[in-house]
Amino acid sequence: MSRRAEQSVDDLVGRAREGEARAVARLISLVEDESPLLREVMAALVPHAGNAQVIGITGSPGVGKSTSTNALVTELRKQEKRVGVLAVDPSSPFSGGALLGDRVRMQDHALDRDVYIRSMASRGHLGGLAWATPQALRVLDAAGCDVIIIETVGVGQSEVEIAGLADTTVVLLAPGMGDGIQAAKAGILEVGDIYVINKADRDGADQVRRDLRGMIALGERPDGAWKPRIIKTVAHTGEGVDEVVAELHRHRDHLESTGEMQRRRTRRARDEIEAIAVTTLRAKWGDLHGYDGLDALAEAVVAGDKDPYAAADELVGTVSG
Ligand SMILES: Nc1nc2c(ncn2[C@@H]2O[C@H](COP(=O)(O)OP(=O)(O)OP(=O)(O)O)[C@@H](O)[C@H]2O)c(=O)[nH]1
Ligand SMILES: [Mg+2]
């Protein structure tokens, strides 16, 4: 990279660290656009990252994730924490639409310098969520966020995937949504560090709690392991949200004192390295479509001179070489 580009990346990182929202936005855009500056940006962030507690919020559509995120931000701001929110839509190539509603539900914090809210769509990326989200997390972390909340929009595999990115996973359930069955199906009973029964102002919250408690109790946990608590909240009034925040802090202390934080982060970094490496390889593969050697290999397979595995090995040798 040219000297000028280097200076501007350093400058951007410096301004992001001072809490300038525009600089943070620009850095995340460089991630989303897979900018040629990305490697440089990531290298510049290294000395500043590693402090933030990353919290994943998962749960069925409409369970109250955005409302709860908004309430959590309010509570964390009372403690003067700098907070980042990443709303990730893994299925849509657009950052508008459904995410617009989330913005509205989080608008309490629109003018707060110490709250950074960003919507991200990750479908355009080869590595999807696994690739782009950790890089955006690094930006927010380096920008000085004490806590980063990731909310996924939409359903499916992504809910469990997001748990892989978080230090602490909060699973939201609510009465009247058939959540008991959904929870078991999505495997979120294994990933929850904190369970929240939201919409506790509605009938049936205690029943959901009983069902959930029964299901959690079924899982074996070794001595000294974290025992997830179940907390009832009413997200739009903020009731119970202080308890959730207290539990978030307690979980962070637990992760740090047991070495589990280090283990989770190492596992996450492994996934991240793998996703980047695979993406890099795939990009090289793309270039190989125009590679004459591939035609020659294909002809050899058709002629019966080579089996496809041997041909593929030869090709992989070329790609990695
Ligand atoms: N009665 C009641 N309604 C709530 C509560 N929390 C959220 N809601 C309402 O439930 C609806 C969905 O809330 P959201 O926060 O958008 O839910 P979400 O999980 O983010 O939804 P998606 O992002 O679409 O998956 C909204 O109309 C909220 O006002 C609550 O504690 N009690
Ligand atoms: Mg939402």
Side-chain angles (χ1 to χ4, degrees):
M1 278 306 137
S2 72
R3 269 188 73 104
R4 250 191 87 201
E6 241 171 70
Q7 279 170 350
S8 71
V9 164
D10 281 346
D11 180 50
L12 267 180
V13 171
R15 286 192 284 130
R17 286 183 50 71
E18 277 158 28
E20 195 190 300
R22 267 186 45 206
V24 178
R26 176 87 186 106
L27 287 170
I28 296 184
S29 294
L30 292 176
V31 169
E32 277 194 309
D33 301 344
E34 297 181 62
S35 156
L37 291 176
L38 189 56
R39 281 180 156 73
E40 207 181 315
V41 169
M42 287 306 144
L45 296 180
V46 167
H48 311 297
N51 170 61
Q53 180 181 12
V54 179
I55 294 162
I57 304 239
T58 84
S60 309
V63 75
K65 295 181 295 294
S66 301
T67 315
S68 298
T69 298
N70 187 60
L72 282 169
V73 172
T74 302
E75 201 59 38
L76 287 160
R77 289 300 299 133
K78 284 187 200 159
Q79 302 176 359
E80 298 188 353
K81 304 284 184 198
R82 190 186 270 187
V83 190
V85 176
L86 215 51
V88 182
D89 185 344
S91 58
S92 161
F94 307 108
S95 305
L99 290 167
L100 209 60
D102 287 321
R103 291 218 146 226
V104 171
R105 276 187 270 290
M106 295 180 203
Q107 72 185 356
D108 291 359
H109 307 288
L111 297 174
D112 188 338
R113 268 182 65 89
D114 288 309
V115 177
Y116 188 84
I117 298 172
R118 172 73 173 224
S119 303
M120 259 180 81
S122 61
R123 203 221 203 113
H125 297 279
L126 275 173
L129 203 57
W131 183 85
T133 313
Q135 317 303 327
L137 287 175
R138 259 174 220 284
V139 171
L140 291 173
D141 186 357
C145 291
D146 300 296
V147 175
I148 305 168
I149 302 175
I150 324 175
E151 180 198 343
T152 38
V153 177
V155 266
Q157 197 50 37
S158 59
E159 298 191 343
V160 176
E161 209 177 309
I162 216 79
L165 296 170
D167 299 318
T168 303
T169 300
V170 179
V171 174
L172 244 67
L173 297 106
M177 302 190 66
D179 263 319
I181 301 149
Q182 283 174 25
K185 206 160 67 182
I188 56 177
L189 285 177
E190 278 113 73
V191 300
D193 298 304
I194 301 169
Y195 289 89
V196 172
I197 316 278
N198 188 42
K199 308 196 185 184
D201 54 326
R202 294 196 178 164
D203 289 343
D206 287 319
Q207 186 57 47
V208 176
R209 184 186 208 154
R210 272 192 295 277
D211 291 349
L212 182 63
R213 186 164 281 156
M215 282 160 132
I216 293 175
L218 292 177
E220 289 276 316
R221 281 172 211 276
D223 286 347
W226 174 258
K227 291 186 190 66
R229 274 189 57 201
I230 304 172
I231 299 166
K232 288 199 287 185
T233 62
V234 182
H236 63 272
T237 65
E239 202 182 317
V241 176
D242 54 341
E243 271 184 74
V244 178
V245 167
E247 197 64 1
L248 288 172
H249 293 326
R250 209 170 70 83
H251 189 245
R252 181 179 184 146
D253 291 346
H254 168 86
L255 291 175
E256 278 171 353
S257 65
T258 56
E260 179 62 16
M261 183 72 98
Q262 186 69 18
R263 281 192 290 277
R264 284 187 184 201
R265 289 186 171 179
T266 305
R267 204 181 318 143
R268 205 192 301 165
R270 276 179 54 143
D271 291 347
E272 211 179 325
I273 296 165
E274 194 181 303
I276 293 167
V278 167
T279 305
T280 307
L281 278 176
R282 283 224 201 106
K284 285 197 188 179
W285 272 96
D287 296 344
L288 279 181
H289 276 297
Y291 168 65
D292 294 339
L294 185 56
D295 285 338
L297 287 170
E299 279 162 22
V301 169
V302 172
D305 295 335
K306 256 191 208 0
D307 70 275
Y309 279 87
D313 285 345
E314 218 170 289
L315 189 59
V316 171
T318 313
V319 174
S320 331

